[in-house]
Amino acid sequence: MTDDGALWNSLPVPALLLGEEDRILEANPAAELFLNVSLRSLSGAVLWDKLRSEVPLEEAFAKARAQRSALFVNDIELGTNDRPATQCSVQIAPLAGHETQMLLLISPREMAHRMTQKQATGKAAKSAIGMAEMLAHEIKNPLAGITGAAQLLSMGLSAEDRELTDLIVEESRRIVKLLEQVEQFGNLRPPARRPVNVHDTLDRARQSAMVGFGAHMSFVEDYDPSLPRALVDPDQLLQVVLNLVKNACEAGGPGGTIRLRSYYDPALRVRQPDGGQARLPLQIEVQDDGPGLPPEIAEEAFEPFVSGRENGTGLGLALVSKLVTENGGWISVESAPGRSVFRISLPRAPEDHPSGEH
C-alpha cells in the first residue's frame, strides 16, 4: 500500500484491493483472518478462487468495474473453501486515481449477531440469580433429610427392597447437583482477574478430559504460540473450558475429534456499560465434529434451562456465558452438522499489569 498503510491495517472489517482480472493486490489483516489465508498466498490470486458466494457476485462486480461505480450488496452468504458461509454485507467501489483497481469491503453479520447474542445471554443468566437462593434454602435442606432417611431405612431391608431406597438416594443427589449449578448464578463475587496464559488452561482441560470423560476422543491442538496473556480469573476460565470440552465430547461421541484453537483477532470489540469500547483480541475455540445443535435451540444455546441433550439441565452453557461475561469477555457459537465451534473472546492483559490478583 501507500503511506495509508497504518489506516489500511487498522480497518476492523475485511478489505481487499483488486486489480485487473479481479486479482488480489492487497488484503488487510481482517481479510486474512476472514479468508483464513496469509497475504503471501492471497497476492496475485483471483478473488473468486478464494471467496465463495451463494449469488453471482462476480457478475455484479464486473458491472461495477465497467461503470466505475459503487455497489452495495446486503445479506449474502460468503465463505471459503474451508470455512462455512456466513451472512455478510459487501461494498464495492473503484479506487480513486487508479483506473483498474477496485476496493472490496466485507462486513460479516456474524459480528453484530454475536454482540447482540452476548447482551441477551448476559440478561438471561442474570434472570436465574433470583431463584438461586430460594432453591438452595427451600429445597436442598429437605432433600438432605430425605436422603438420610432413605439410607437409614435401607439398613433393615432386603437387597431387593434396597434398590428402591438406593433410587431415592441417587435421585435426591442428582437434584442437589442441579441445585448447586443453579446456586452458582447467585455468586456475586467479582472474578479475581490476572494475566493468564490461555494455553496452560487449554492443556489442563485437555489432560483432565483425556483421563476421564474424553478418553474416547482425539484431541488436536491448534495454538498461536505468540498469543499474549489474557486478563481473566484462571479458575473460572478453566471451569468454562472444561464445560465446553465436556459438552464437545458428549456431542462428538466415541472416536470423535475435539480441536482446541487459539488465535489473535485485533478487530473484535464490545461496548461496555459505560459507553466505552473494550478490545477482545484473544480467541479460544472448542470445536467438535458431532451432529451440531438442534436448529430450534441454536439461537438460545446460552439461555438457562435450554438443552439439546436428553436429561440435560440446560444450565451449563448459561453458567459459562455468565462467567465469560463477568470476566469482560463474550462467547458465541457456530453450529452445523459435523462442525460446532464455541468461541470465547477475551481481553488482553496490559504489559504492566501485576501478576497477582486484580
Side-chain angles (χ1 to χ4, degrees):
M1 286 293 290
T2 63
D3 294 337
D4 300 321
L7 177 62
W8 172 259
N9 291 330
S10 299
L11 287 174
V13 298
L16 296 163
L17 182 63
L18 306 173
E20 295 180 352
E21 300 179 344
D22 296 341
R23 293 190 179 276
I24 299 172
L25 303 178
E26 293 285 349
N28 72 341
E32 293 180 82
L33 287 170
F34 182 81
L35 297 173
N36 198 28
V37 181
S38 68
L39 176 59
R40 179 178 297 180
S41 299
L42 287 173
S43 183
V46 176
L47 173 65
W48 315 113
D49 291 340
K50 301 295 182 180
L51 188 68
R52 304 297 182 189
S53 172
E54 64 170 356
V55 298
L57 191 60
E58 185 174 356
E59 297 177 10
F61 193 92
K63 184 176 180 181
R65 178 189 288 276
Q67 297 179 353
R68 300 297 294 169
S69 61
L71 175 68
F72 300 86
V73 183
N74 292 320
D75 300 334
I76 62 172
E77 297 288 331
L78 292 180
T80 66
N81 292 330
D82 56 358
R83 173 185 173 134
T86 186
Q87 196 172 55
C88 302
S89 294
V90 174
Q91 301 177 54
I92 304 168
L95 187 65
H98 297 269
E99 286 295 324
T100 61
Q101 296 182 5
M102 299 288 287
L103 183 65
L104 171 65
L105 299 179
I106 302 172
S107 300
R109 289 284 300 276
E110 170 194 2
M111 292 183 181
H113 171 72
R114 287 165 60 194
M115 297 285 280
T116 303
Q117 185 184 55
K118 172 184 178 291
Q119 296 172 352
T121 54
K123 293 179 181 178
K126 290 180 180 178
S127 70
I129 294 177
M131 70 181 75
E133 293 295 328
M134 179 191 70
L135 288 171
H137 293 290
E138 300 299 328
I139 301 179
K140 285 178 67 176
N141 289 338
L143 279 175
I146 293 172
T147 301
Q151 291 173 328
L152 288 174
L153 284 174
S154 67
M155 295 179 181
L157 298 177
S158 64
E160 182 177 349
D161 291 334
R162 276 201 301 272
E163 291 182 3
L164 298 176
T165 55
D166 289 346
L167 178 62
I168 294 173
V169 172
E170 181 181 346
E171 290 300 300
S172 296
R173 288 175 175 170
R174 185 177 68 85
I175 296 173
V176 169
K177 185 176 180 180
L178 169 61
L179 295 175
E180 288 174 346
Q181 280 188 298
V182 177
E183 195 173 14
Q184 292 184 65
F185 284 101
N187 183 3
L188 301 178
R189 289 178 299 176
R193 300 170 67 188
R194 60 181 178 84
V196 172
N197 184 333
V198 299
H199 299 142
D200 291 342
T201 302
L202 291 172
D203 285 338
R204 287 180 61 188
R206 176 184 56 80
Q207 292 167 3
S208 296
M210 291 178 65
V211 298
F213 55 80
H216 59 288
M217 307 294 290
S218 297
F219 286 83
V220 176
E221 301 169 28
D222 183 9
Y223 297 165
D224 177 357
S226 65
L227 205 67
R229 294 182 297 176
L231 185 61
V232 293
D233 183 313
D235 293 333
Q236 291 186 356
L237 180 60
L238 179 60
Q239 182 179 357
V240 166
V241 175
L242 276 172
N243 192 301
L244 294 180
V245 171
K246 185 176 182 180
N247 285 352
C249 290
E250 293 174 350
T257 299
I258 305 297
R259 180 179 294 274
L260 302 176
R261 182 188 178 206
S262 70
Y263 62 97
Y264 194 88
D265 185 351
L268 294 178
R269 303 181 186 184
V270 295
R271 185 171 297 278
Q272 296 177 312
D274 61 4
Q277 286 192 338
R279 295 178 180 270
L280 302 178
L282 308 187
Q283 313 301 319
I284 296 175
E285 290 185 351
V286 178
Q287 176 181 329
D288 68 70
D289 53 3
L293 293 172
E296 62 272 15
I297 72 164
E299 295 293 328
E300 303 175 343
F302 301 104
E303 298 278 358
F305 309 112
V306 174
S307 176
R309 299 198 308 269
E310 185 177 358
N311 299 323
T313 64
L315 290 176
L317 289 179
L319 180 59
V320 161
S321 174
K322 174 180 181 288
L323 294 177
V324 171
T325 300
E326 289 179 349
N327 275 273
W330 54 288
I331 185 169
S332 64
V333 60
E334 298 175 11
S335 184
R339 184 181 184 273
S340 292
V341 181
F342 284 86
R343 182 181 300 111
I344 306 168
S345 303
L346 298 172
R348 175 178 178 173
E351 295 295 336
D352 58 350
H353 194 285
S355 58
E357 293 187 352
H358 173 69

